[in-house]
Amino acid sequence: MRPAPAIALGLLRESDKILLDAEMVQPVVEEVRDVTRERFAAAAVSDPYVWRVGRNSYACIHGLVTTTAISADEIGRQLATHEELLHATVGIAAASA
């Protein structure tokens, strides 16, 4: 059995990128933003967050502000085309005029 300090150090090494938002520089982050820019021009990304959930696998929370009717299901279908994105939570807020 490994000593507790070695286990703690291993956990820290595995989680440090997540804790420090280092995953936000991965190409998948730009792909998530591109879906909004290309398919939903009336929407602005207000709070994107992407994190690693496995080897080459990611999840995201994607907050949008829009002046037009867009459903979270529509955006989810577009995001689902990216194989490395296993889960997406989409929030939509109406922009005040």
Side-chain angles (χ1 to χ4, degrees), residues 7 13 16 20-22 30 53 57 65 67 70-71 87 90:
I7 292 171
R13 285 186 181 136
D16 65 345
L20 298 173
D21 283 345
E30 198 58 35
V53 294
S57 301
V65 177
T67 56
I70 298 173
S71 77
H87 176 79
V90 178

Side-chain angles (χ1 to χ4, degrees), residues 72-95:
D73 289 339
E74 269 183 278
I75 295 168
R77 281 191 296 276
Q78 294 300 322
L79 291 171
T81 62
H82 298 281
E83 295 174 357
E84 69 273 28
L85 194 57
L86 300 183
H87 176 79
T89 299
V90 178
I92 300 173

